[in-house]
Structures are given as C-alpha cells and as structure tokens.
Amino acid sequence: MQDGHAPDVVAAVAPAAAPPAATAFDEAAWLQRLLALNPWAAGLTFDGVSFPSPVDAEHRSAMTRGGVRGGGALGGGGSPDAEPGPAVEQAPDPTDAAFTAARKAACLARWQAGKDTWNVWADAMLALRKAAEAAGAFKAKKDYSFSDEEGENELSQAWLALADADFRAHAFVGSDRFDFGAFVFPARASFDKAQFGTKEQPGAARFVRATFTGDARFEGATFTGTARFEGATFTGTARFEGATFTG
C-alpha cells in the first residue's frame, strides 16, 4: 500500500463510536410491570405498603409525572428526602394477614402450574430487581447474615414482599413426590414448618438443581420420605434448624 498502512490497521485506530446514552429509569413503568407479574396483590397492604390495582397505578403514575405526589400507597409516597420519624411499636396489622394468605395461595398455584411457569415469573422478577439496582433505585440491607433482607425504600420493600416464595406451614401431602427441581427462587424461599409427606404416605421432596437466590428457610420443616438437594445452589443462608428427616 502507498500510505504504508494496511486497511485493517486503519480501521483499528479509527475513533470508536460513542456509547449510546443511558436510558433513564422509569419508576412508573417498573411499578406497573411489578404489579402485572403479581396481580393477586392488587388492593392489598403489607407492612405499610399498599398495592394499587393496575388502573389505580396508571392513574397514580400520571399524577406523579405531573408533579403531584400523594401518600400512603406504592408509587405515591411523600418526599423521598424526608427523615424517618422515631420507631413506634404498633399492633399487628390485620391487612398483613390477608396479604400473606393471598401470597401463599399465589405461590401454590404457580408451583402447581409447573417449573416453566414458575421460572418465567422468577426470571422476570429478577430482571426487575436488576434494572432497579442498576438505576440505584433498589436499596436493601441485612443487619447480619441470618437476618431477613429488608428494603430501605417502598420500591425495594414492595419487590421483596412480592418475590418471597411463601410456603410456610404448608402440608405437602396426597402425593409421593413434591417437585421443586430446577426452580429458581428470586428472593427468600420460606418453607418453615412445612410438612412433606406423612407416615401413611411418605413423599419425596425434590429440590434437585434448584436455585435459591435469597435465603432458604426450612426451620421446623418435616420431611417424611426422602429429601433431595443434589446440585442445588444456595446464594444466601440455608437454615434447617429444627427440621426432621424420616425415611
């Protein structure tokens, strides 16, 4: 070549194209997606966070975009810079019981629908968390390794409440196999005091290749039959205190 440069070298030293501009985090759209993945929560309240219906969420989102912010419901809280007041001990909120009952029913229905249905939901929930984390909107903490992860703002509290796989105290009976193989748990998996099988009909609790992204809680669980966890991945803590295995 007359200029002494091979074409591929010229291309290599050419200025690189500028990276695309970062897309702003759309909290309203994020909230609507969260509610769409968990429609059972519409109209319920948990730990002081109210979950609106999708229609209410769109109305509240429009108000927020217009500069009007109300209080009391997810997506419409007060000033984000407000200082929290002193902690006040309060009686248990009866609305929390309605929420946890609905969450457990939703978890059971999703499990009964099978691994593919469950994992589509789990993957979508994890994608929402990742997007919020990338934008600096997701804030959660654990006071120590065995404590529960706690959200430090409403967005994080809402995600953690909806992502919890709640099977606490459920009796898995009437079958010889209870299969959670290759399931992905996006947050805490709660099987405290769950019963797998009975003396009359032992069952196989199968968690082979399951992915526990959050803590795995099996405290006080009863396994009558077999319990298999080969190839399971535990990212958080796994707690089996008080669990019994017979068979």
Side-chain angles (χ1 to χ4, degrees):
M1 302 291 293
Q2 292 182 350
D3 59 4
H5 290 280
D8 59 336
V9 176
V10 174
V13 298
T23 303
F25 179 66
D26 188 338
E27 184 174 338
W30 188 96
L31 169 60
Q32 289 182 321
R33 176 60 173 156
L34 180 68
L35 294 173
L37 288 169
N38 301 278
W40 57 268
L44 298 176
T45 300
F46 182 72
D47 201 19
V49 177
S50 297
F51 296 89
S53 69
V55 173
D56 290 340
E58 172 57 28
H59 175 65
R60 188 169 293 110
S61 298
M63 293 175 62
T64 301
R65 288 192 293 270
V68 180
R69 295 185 66 88
L74 182 63
S79 170
D81 298 322
E83 292 293 329
V88 178
E89 186 174 352
Q90 298 178 340
D93 188 340
T95 60
D96 285 3
F99 177 91
T100 54
R103 178 175 62 189
K104 183 176 180 180
C107 288
L108 286 167
R110 198 180 303 121
W111 168 64
Q112 290 166 349
K115 172 179 67 68
D116 291 343
T117 297
W118 179 282
N119 285 351
V120 166
W121 167 82
D123 289 344
M125 289 294 288
L126 287 169
L128 280 177
R129 174 166 180 162
K130 183 177 181 180
E133 287 177 335
F138 194 95
K139 299 182 184 298
K141 67 176 183 178
K142 295 184 71 172
D143 291 331
Y144 51 93
S145 61
F146 284 97
S147 65
D148 290 331
E149 187 176 23
E150 297 180 356
E152 296 184 283
N153 56 26
E154 281 194 345
L155 180 149
S156 308
Q157 291 166 356
W159 187 92
L160 289 167
L162 298 176
D164 192 338
D166 190 352
F167 296 95
R168 289 174 293 177
H170 183 70
F172 292 92
V173 296
S175 175
D176 59 359
R177 176 167 167 163
F178 310 104
D179 197 352
F180 288 89
F183 274 51
V184 175
F185 298 96
R188 180 179 61 182
S190 304
F191 290 88
D192 295 338
K193 297 184 178 179
Q195 175 188 354
F196 295 91
T198 64
K199 182 178 180 180
E200 292 74 21
Q201 187 178 13
R206 188 175 181 273
F207 291 87
V208 176
R209 293 185 292 107
T211 300
F212 295 91
T213 306
D215 293 343
R217 308 288 288 270
F218 290 88
E219 295 174 277
T222 302
F223 297 87
T224 305
T226 60
R228 298 183 58 186
F229 289 85
E230 301 100 304
T233 301
F234 296 88
T235 302
T237 58
R239 304 189 63 170
F240 288 84
E241 291 91 334
T244 59
F245 299 83
T246 305

